[in-house]
Amino acid sequence: MLIQLSEEHEAIREGVAKVCAAFDDEYWSACDTEKRFPFEFHKAMADGGWLGITMPESLGGANLGVTGAAIMMHAISSSAGGYSAASTVHLNLFGPHAVVVFGTDEQKERMLKPLIAGTDRACFGVTEPDAGLDTTSITTFATKVEGGYRVTGRKIWTSSGQVSNKILLLTRTTPRDQCRKPTDGMTLFYTDLDKSRIEVRRIDKMGRNAVDSNATFIDDYFVPDADRIGEEGMGFHYILHSLNPERILVGIEAVGLGQGALARAARYAGERVVFGRPIGANQGIQHPLAENWAYLESAFWMIMRAACLYDSGQPCGAEANAGKLLGARAAFDACTRAVMTHGGMGYSTEYQVERLFRESILLRIAPITEQLILSFIGEKVLGLPKSY
Ligand SMILES: Cc1cc2nc3c(=O)[nH]c(=O)nc-3n(C[C@H](O)[C@H](O)[C@H](O)COP(=O)(O)OP(=O)(O)OC[C@H]3O[C@@H](n4cnc5c(N)ncnc54)[C@H](O)[C@@H]3O)c2cc1C
């Protein structure tokens, strides 16, 4: 058993960190305050060839698997950009996973190449206001017509919708009460997000403001057959396929965010002198930071184990879910502690930790909440009755 990163992984980490280093606190702070999408960072990542890290080599990707992507996302979120930086590229890496696995050759060529080049940006339209976490209760409906479908419904929280020209859209094509199983009868599309026909209304929110989130209103919108991914009625099953990689990446992004905040806290604790000595000489400051390190490190390795299992084709649901839970909790604790360590300055924007703190709570909520992860582990790992 060899539990360490390979040379290739270290090379990914260094390459990505180099790109990130060009975008400093000032840049990310301005993006957050001005609610401005980090176009320059997105372009730099595309130009460096990083957006195709999980995509097939035949399309210009690097096919480095979820493990490679995890190393990359970890490097991004531990940089000055934190979770905003990760979210800038996350959906493009990952949202289209269903196209990678279930798309036709024509679709892969047409849909994935522009994402890898950074000329297209995609958002993810799954969550609905009246369904919440109960995804099989979505009601956005795609009615079959000549040559395609007419879609009507409402999505919520569609992230990066303001700057995306494509949307991965989960719909119903058979009402839930007419399906054999609630997970049947849903159909997935990857299609144009034509804002002259679809209203994408920004939601004001607590943090991660460089990347917008939206309420999306779709009214009798035509989607061609060519944009349907896989078979009609199988959409939910395709989405399920990408859940474990998503948990892995979000979990590792959380760890990076927490480690970035912890590094800032440790630096400040070493420099700030009160009562004639650095505050970090006090165990009341030092021990909580050491504890954050331990929790973040253990989450990191749980997540890397999930990534390795996934890439070698083995079941990884328990590890991926546990990794997301541990990573998000450890990140939230580390970011909270980073604010506390800075005392009053932790509350100022100058030291950045309040920005990271605001981002960290999101990781406990989205894309899946802690409660639902624990329900999954309770049922699938511990054999307890299903509770949702
Ligand atoms: C900033 C942001 C960005 C997002 N981006 C996207 C995006 O790009 N695309 C997208 O599709 N979605 C996106 N989401 C949506 C996100 O995935 C959901 O908010 C999340 O899954 C939680 O769903 P909900 O908000 O509807 O919570 P609800 O389903 O309303 O749940 C509310 C609370 O009740 C708890 N709960 C519900 N049922 C149970 C149960 N049976 N047992 C125990 N507890 C339960 C939940 O855990 C939660 O704490 C985003 C959300 C946010 C906040």
Side-chain angles (χ1 to χ4, degrees):
M1 192 190 298
L2 190 62
I3 306 179
Q4 64 182 43
L5 300 185
S6 67
E7 277 180 23
E8 187 183 47
H9 294 147
E10 294 293 358
I12 295 173
R13 190 208 286 276
E14 277 170 32
V16 173
K18 215 167 161 184
V19 177
C20 294
F23 299 89
D24 59 8
D25 284 350
E26 207 180 317
Y27 175 82
W28 288 106
S29 199
C31 287
D32 190 63
T33 312
E34 295 161 19
K35 301 185 178 174
R36 193 175 73 78
F37 188 80
F39 290 105
E40 303 80 5
F41 174 70
H42 180 264
K43 183 170 184 320
M45 290 300 291
D47 290 350
W50 294 107
L51 298 189
I53 193 161
T54 59
M55 307 270 191
E57 282 170 282
S58 57
L59 298 171
N63 201 21
L64 288 175
V66 170
T67 313
I71 302 288
M72 164 172 151
M73 296 315 290
H74 179 251
I76 293 177
S77 65
S78 51
S79 78
Y83 192 46
S84 289
S87 302
T88 305
V89 296
H90 173 104
L91 282 164
N92 294 273
L93 280 191
F94 205 52
H97 191 71
V99 181
V100 175
V101 182
F102 300 104
T104 63
D105 287 345
E106 182 278 325
Q107 286 176 327
K108 286 183 201 170
E109 181 84 15
R110 177 164 58 91
M111 298 170 177
L112 301 180
K113 271 193 164 171
L115 279 176
I116 297 172
T119 47
D120 275 358
R121 268 187 296 272
C123 58
F124 200 54
V126 172
T127 309
E128 294 191 7
D130 296 330
L133 286 156
D134 182 10
T135 306
T136 64
S137 292
I138 64 163
T139 52
T140 293
F141 206 86
T143 307
K144 187 76 190 90
V145 293
E146 179 72 30
Y149 295 79
R150 300 210 79 91
V151 181
T152 295
R154 216 178 132 187
K155 296 289 174 185
I156 192 158
W157 290 116
T158 327
S159 290
S160 78
Q162 297 291 331
V163 295
S164 294
N165 61 332
K166 296 284 176 185
I167 183 165
L168 192 82
L169 188 61
L170 187 67
T171 65
R172 273 222 162 267
T173 35
T174 309
R176 181 171 138 138
D177 57 8
Q178 291 171 26
C179 293
R180 204 169 47 85
K181 288 188 292 178
T183 49
D184 291 343
M186 295 160 96
T187 300
L188 190 64
F189 299 96
Y190 182 82
T191 195
D192 290 339
L193 179 63
D194 175 359
K195 281 172 220 142
S196 68
R197 295 290 328 278
I198 293 180
E199 188 192 352
V200 182
R201 192 186 298 164
R202 189 166 188 147
I203 301 171
D204 281 333
K205 61 187 193 306
M206 183 196 297
R208 206 200 61 176
N209 282 316
V211 178
D212 56 88
S213 295
N214 303 277
T216 305
F217 302 85
I218 308 168
D219 184 18
D220 198 30
Y221 185 69
F222 180 74
V223 178
D225 284 330
D227 289 354
R228 191 188 70 217
I229 306 304
E231 284 177 48
E232 185 179 296
M234 290 296 288
F236 189 76
H237 302 278
Y238 300 153
I239 291 276
L240 277 185
H241 204 269
S242 61
L243 287 189
N244 286 330
E246 185 181 47
R247 306 267 193 279
I248 291 167
L249 293 190
V250 171
I252 209 79
E253 289 162 20
V255 171
L257 175 71
Q259 289 174 333
L262 178 60
R264 290 174 192 270
R267 194 162 54 238
Y268 190 81
E271 289 167 359
R272 171 74 174 158
V273 174
V274 185
F275 293 110
R277 56 188 186 151
I279 55 168
N282 303 304
Q283 290 182 340
I285 290 286
Q286 195 180 101
H287 285 187
L289 298 179
E291 201 171 60
N292 291 144
W293 180 87
Y295 282 116
L296 286 162
E297 193 70 9
S298 63
F300 179 89
W301 288 108
M302 170 66 93
I303 296 163
M304 291 317 290
R305 173 168 156 71
C308 290
L309 288 171
Y310 182 87
D311 282 342
S312 59
Q314 299 180 65
C316 66
E319 291 79 4
N321 276 280
K324 162 34 174 106
L325 175 83
L326 296 172
R329 194 74 76 80
F332 177 75
D333 291 345
C335 290
T336 308
R337 183 53 56 188
V339 172
M340 302 298 280
T341 303
H342 283 74
M345 293 320 286
Y347 210 67
S348 79
T349 55
E350 183 186 343
Y351 281 83
Q352 310 292 326
V353 284
E354 61 79 39
R355 170 168 63 86
L356 307 183
F357 167 74
R358 285 185 284 113
E359 292 184 343
S360 70
I361 194 164
L362 174 57
L363 285 147
R364 297 180 65 182
I365 300 170
I368 178 91
T369 60
E370 292 180 352
Q371 289 91 337
L372 267 278
I373 287 185
L374 292 171
S375 295
F376 174 90
I377 293 173
E379 181 197 347
K380 305 283 186 201
V381 181
L382 303 179
L384 296 170
K386 187 175 166 104
S387 64
Y388 58 97

